[in-house]
């Protein structure tokens, strides 16, 4: 195993948040889509909480224009804190200070939105020569089914990069990156031999979709710098991973996939976003019972 791969601790998380959020316009005209509430918390806060729970205490947001709401959310709001303190509303006071104290948060601007690969390349200076995790805000992983610790174990064992895969119906594979894989002796780990970004159903090399959690070797930066625009004219992270999958281990190459079978909520388009909000709200002890009762009555009357 390469020196670089030998069990370096993973401390840093990168969260791209520079997209236009076009599927949610006009809500996202002046606000990043990552700030859309999932029940009563912005989607992005779930993602940061997941990173922190996995021991990542340094979070870098890759932002675009409208980063203001993000920065404000993870900063103190002293006026609001004072109002809640005077009212004696400790519960809400804890809620508003929670996001501030979660992690050390940093920001870098992407400039031009040239694709996910380009967004990750913006993190190079901050990350340096360490392995790091990329978390995409569209995928929420249930905190009861954490996947990052397993991905870290796989990296510690084999080095290289580790991606998160999920079995999806063949007809929806064209929404995702899709790997060609070889099985290993551990049931939930596969070797990634090739990758295609959003293939047509007929040319999909497997039924696995790449989910928005990546544990990347820093070798990815050099590869990304040489990656030409791919699908949709964008610099694709999937294309860089494809190169990494074929590179030797002593150069930081090698890609493994961990197959996730836990609960995941997709907030990437309007219908799945609404489904995620309803699912999570139904499980909440404070509002769940009332919502479930209403939902059953409502559903019974649907045409
Ligand atoms: C991105 C990646 C894709 C991956 C997906 C996971 O696509 O390019 O490979 O499967 O995230 O959510 P996006 O959904 O940003 O178009």
């Amino acid at each position: 195993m390469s020196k670089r791969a030998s069990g370096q601790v993973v401390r840093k998380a990168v969260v791209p948040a520079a997209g236009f959020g076009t599927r949610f316009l006009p809500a996202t005209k002046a606000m990043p889509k990552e700030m859309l509430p999932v029940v009563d918390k912005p989607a992005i806060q779930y993602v940061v909480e997941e990173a922190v729970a996995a021991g990542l205490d340094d979070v870098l947001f890759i932002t675009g224009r409208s980063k203001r709401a993000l920065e404000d959310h993870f900063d103190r709001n002293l006026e609001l804190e004072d109002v809640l303190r005077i009212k004696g509303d400790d519960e809400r006071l804890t809620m508003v200070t929670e996001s501030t104290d979660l992690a050390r948060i940093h920001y870098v601007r992407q400039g031009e939105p040239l694709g996910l690969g380009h967004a990750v390349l913006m993190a190079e200076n901050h990350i340096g020569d360490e392995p790091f995790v990329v978390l995409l805000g569209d995928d929420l992983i249930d905190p009861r089914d954490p996947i990052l610790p397993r991905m870290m174990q796989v990296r510690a064992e084999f080095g290289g990069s580790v991606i998160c895969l999920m079995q999806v119906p063949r007809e929806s594979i064209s929404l995702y990156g899709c790997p060609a894989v070889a099985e290993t002796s551990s049931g939930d780990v596969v070797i990634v031999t090739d990758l295609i970004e959003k293939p047509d159903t007929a040319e999909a090399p497997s039924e696995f979709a790449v989910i928005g959690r990546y544990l990347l070797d820093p070798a990815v930066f050099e590869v990304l710098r040489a990656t030409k625009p791919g699908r949709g004219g964008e610099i694709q992270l999937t294309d860089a991973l494809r190169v990494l999958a074929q590179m030797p281990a002593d150069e930081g190459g090698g890609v493994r996939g961990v197959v996730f079978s836990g609960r995941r909520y997709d907030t990437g388009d309007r219908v799945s976003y609404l489904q995620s909000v309803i699912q999570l709200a139904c499980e909440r002890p404070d509002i769940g019972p009332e919502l479930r009762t209403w939902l059953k009555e409502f559903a019974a009357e649907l045409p």
Side-chain angles (χ1 to χ4, degrees), residues 271-286:
V271 172
S272 57
Y273 165 76
L274 290 170
Q275 288 166 340
S276 302
V277 173
I278 292 169
Q279 251 175 298
L280 286 162
C282 281
E283 289 191 23
R284 283 269 297 259
D286 52 350

Side-chain angles (χ1 to χ4, degrees), residues 116 136 138-139 175-177 197-198 210-212 214 236 238:
L116 179 59
L136 303 187
D138 283 352
D139 289 311
L175 299 171
Y176 299 96
E197 178 68 2
K198 306 199 172 100
V210 177
I211 299 305
Y214 307 80
Q236 297 290 352
T238 302

